[in-house]
Amino acid sequence: MNILFSAFINPERKSGVDKKIYGQIKAFEKLGHNVWYFTFKDGNILLHNRENCEVLFSVSKNTVGYYMALQRGMRYACRNLPLDMVYIRHIFCTPFHLKTLSVFRSKGVATVEEIPTYPYDELNRHFTSPYYKIASLVDRATRNGYKGRLDFFTTYSKDKTIFGVPCINLDNGVDFDTLRFIPTEFPDNRIDMIAVSAMSPCHGYERAIEGIAQYMSKKPALPVHLHLVGDGPERAGWEALTDRYNLREYVHFHGHCIGDELISVFDRCQIGLSILGMYKMGMDAVSPLKTREYAAMGKPFVYANDELNIDENTPFCLRIANDATPLDIEEIVDFYSRVKATPDICSILHSFAEKHYSWDAQMKLVADRVEQAVK
C-alpha cells in the first residue's frame, strides 16, 4: 500500500516518542509498503518518502501552528499522492481534523488513527497550558464525529470500539535494529534499578524513593540503588524527596542520556522500573514503551499495570500494585534472587520480546486489517 504517516516529528528532538514513530514507519517499509511522512525543520513542514524530501510550506512556531500545519499537510498529501491509507498519531479532535478525515474518505483513502493513551480525559486534566485546556474541551465536544469518518482506531487498551469506531488492539513495540541486547551481571553485594523517563507525574518514581528510604532505614546487608535517567517536571520534587530521606548515596540522577552514556547506565543495572503512577490518571490497562525496551535489552523489570502478554507468573518480571504505596524493596530483593538463579533469564526475556514486541509484528496487524477491510 501507499501510506501517509502523520505525526509531529522534529528530527532534532531525540525523544522516545520519535524513536517509536520512526520504528513504526520503518516497520511499514520492511513489510513492503511505500510510506510518506512529515517532519518540521527550520520553520517548515517537510514531506519525506524514503530518500526524497519536499518542503511544503512555512509553519508558525507555536502549538496551534504545528497542529494546523499537519492538517494542511495531510490535505495536500491526499490531493497529490496516490494514497491507500493514512495512519495518524492522535491529535485533539477539532472540526478541522474531522474535515481532514472527510477529505480522505471522499478520496477512498482508508483512515487509521492511533490513540497512544486511552481513556485520556483524566490525563488531559493534568495539562496546565491554556491551549491544551481549550483543545481538550473542543475534543470532548467534537470527537463523536469520528464515527462515519474514521475507519479504525489503533489502541493499546483492550477496547473494541472507541467513540463508535472499531479498534485494532496493539501492543507497544520497539525497533530491534536500534536496541542492543545487554547481558546482565547479577552481583551478590548490591542491586541497581534503572528508570528512564520524561519524569512526568504518571511515572510515579516517588514510590521507589520512598520504598528505598523504608528499606535502608532497616540497615540491610544488601543495599539497593535507583538510577533515574531523564529530565522533566517531577525531577525537582524527586530530588527534594531524596534529600529529605538523605538518600543521595542510593538514588542517582543522571539527567538526559543518549547513546553510549545511556548504555553505560544500563550496564550497571539489573532491574528496570516501568511506569508506576498510572493510578493518578485512573488507568490500569496501558502498554508502556519503556517496558518493551527493557525486555528487548534482556532486562528483568517491575511493572504496575495490566499487560496483554505477561502476568504474575511470568518469571522475568514482577507486578506490583497500581497505587501510591511505596515499593516493597524486600519483594524486589526476592525477585532479584529468583531471576539471578534462573539460567539464561536475560536471553529468554530478549527472545520473548522479539516475538511479541517488534514493530514489524504490530504494524502487520494494522496493514492486514486495513487490506482485509478494503477487499
Side-chain angles (χ1 to χ4, degrees):
M1 292 187 292
N2 291 313
I3 299 172
L4 174 67
F5 196 109
S6 180
F8 174 77
I9 305 175
N10 181 348
E12 298 173 357
R13 179 191 65 178
K14 301 182 185 302
S15 71
V17 170
D18 288 325
K19 285 195 299 182
K20 170 181 175 177
I21 292 169
Y22 280 122
Q24 290 175 310
I25 292 170
K26 186 192 295 186
F28 274 136
E29 291 178 336
K30 287 170 68 176
L31 291 167
H33 304 293
N34 188 21
V35 184
W36 286 270
Y37 62 95
F38 301 114
T39 64
F40 292 92
K41 188 176 182 181
D42 298 329
N44 296 302
I45 183 171
L46 290 70
L47 179 63
H48 301 257
N49 179 232
R50 296 190 184 275
E51 301 302 321
N52 299 316
C53 176
E54 177 185 358
V55 178
L56 297 186
F57 45 81
S58 61
V59 177
S60 298
K61 291 186 177 181
N62 55 62
T63 307
V64 176
Y66 289 128
Y67 179 89
M68 294 307 297
L70 276 180
Q71 301 297 327
R72 185 179 169 191
M74 283 191 282
R75 296 185 195 186
Y76 172 89
C78 188
R79 291 192 304 268
N80 293 281
L81 299 177
L83 295 176
D84 300 299
M85 180 181 103
V86 58
Y87 188 92
I88 305 166
R89 183 172 168 88
H90 180 66
I91 44 185
F92 288 108
C93 188
T94 68
F96 302 105
H97 186 51
L98 294 178
K99 175 62 177 176
T100 299
L101 293 176
S102 295
V103 171
F104 283 110
R105 170 74 47 115
S106 70
K107 296 288 188 179
V109 178
T111 52
V112 182
E113 188 156 329
E114 175 185 314
I115 299 186
T117 303
Y118 183 82
Y120 54 79
D121 286 336
E122 187 63 33
L123 182 65
N124 287 347
R125 290 192 184 97
H126 288 262
F127 288 122
T128 58
S129 163
Y131 165 77
Y132 284 109
K133 288 184 177 296
I134 294 170
S136 180
L137 291 174
V138 175
D139 179 272
R140 296 178 73 171
T142 59
R143 62 197 183 192
N144 285 335
Y146 279 123
K147 187 176 181 179
R149 293 180 175 87
L150 185 68
D151 292 306
F152 299 103
F153 277 116
T154 58
T155 177
Y156 303 102
S157 70
K158 298 179 181 179
D159 297 273
K160 299 306 178 186
T161 61
I162 294 175
F163 310 136
V165 177
C167 293
I168 303 172
N169 301 100
L170 301 181
D171 216 333
N172 241 324
V174 294
D175 181 0
F176 280 83
D177 293 336
T178 62
L179 281 173
R180 194 188 90 187
F181 173 65
I182 302 176
T184 301
E185 302 243 346
F186 296 95
D188 295 324
N189 61 341
R190 62 184 285 163
I191 298 173
D192 288 82
M193 303 185 295
I194 184 171
V196 184
S197 76
M199 296 191 174
S200 298
C202 67
H203 292 115
Y205 297 131
E206 67 279 354
R207 299 181 62 189
I209 297 170
E210 291 168 351
I212 291 174
Q214 292 180 1
Y215 175 77
M216 295 307 299
S217 69
K218 302 173 185 176
K219 303 190 183 314
L222 184 65
V224 174
H225 295 251
L226 172 63
H227 298 264
L228 292 168
V229 178
D231 208 347
E234 293 294 285
R235 176 169 177 167
W238 293 342
E239 289 201 80
L241 193 63
T242 299
D243 290 335
R244 184 191 312 168
Y245 291 125
N246 194 27
L247 288 176
R248 285 287 178 171
E249 182 181 350
Y250 303 102
V251 180
H252 313 276
F253 291 85
H254 295 271
H256 184 64
C257 299
I258 59 174
D260 291 341
E261 188 180 10
L262 178 59
I263 294 299
S264 71
V265 183
F266 268 107
D267 279 339
R268 74 182 79 165
C269 297
Q270 303 85 41
I271 295 174
L273 295 185
S274 187
I275 294 176
L276 305 182
M278 291 308 295
Y279 69 91
K280 300 175 187 177
M281 314 302 169
M283 298 177 63
D284 192 54
V286 292
S287 181
L289 183 58
K290 67 179 76 279
T291 304
R292 279 91 191 125
E293 292 177 335
Y294 295 148
M297 287 184 276
K299 194 73 63 178
F301 58 88
V302 177
Y303 70 106
N305 53 272
D306 282 344
E307 287 280 358
L308 290 176
N309 293 300
I310 58 178
D311 57 30
E312 290 85 348
N313 298 315
T314 308
F316 47 69
C317 55
L318 173 68
R319 180 167 186 177
I320 63 171
N322 184 27
D323 58 30
T325 56
L327 259 63
D328 183 343
I329 301 300
E330 291 182 3
E331 185 179 19
I332 302 288
V333 172
D334 289 342
F335 170 61
Y336 179 85
S337 298
R338 292 198 301 274
V339 295
K340 180 181 178 182
T342 304
D344 298 322
I345 187 67
C346 297
S347 297
I348 292 170
L349 176 50
H350 178 73
S351 297
F352 174 90
E354 284 186 313
K355 178 179 178 180
H356 294 283
Y357 296 148
S358 75
W359 275 126
D360 297 5
Q362 296 305 313
M363 302 323 285
K364 187 176 188 300
L365 294 174
V366 177
D368 288 352
R369 183 78 175 272
V370 170
E371 289 178 321
Q372 182 182 31
V374 170
K375 291 177 182 178

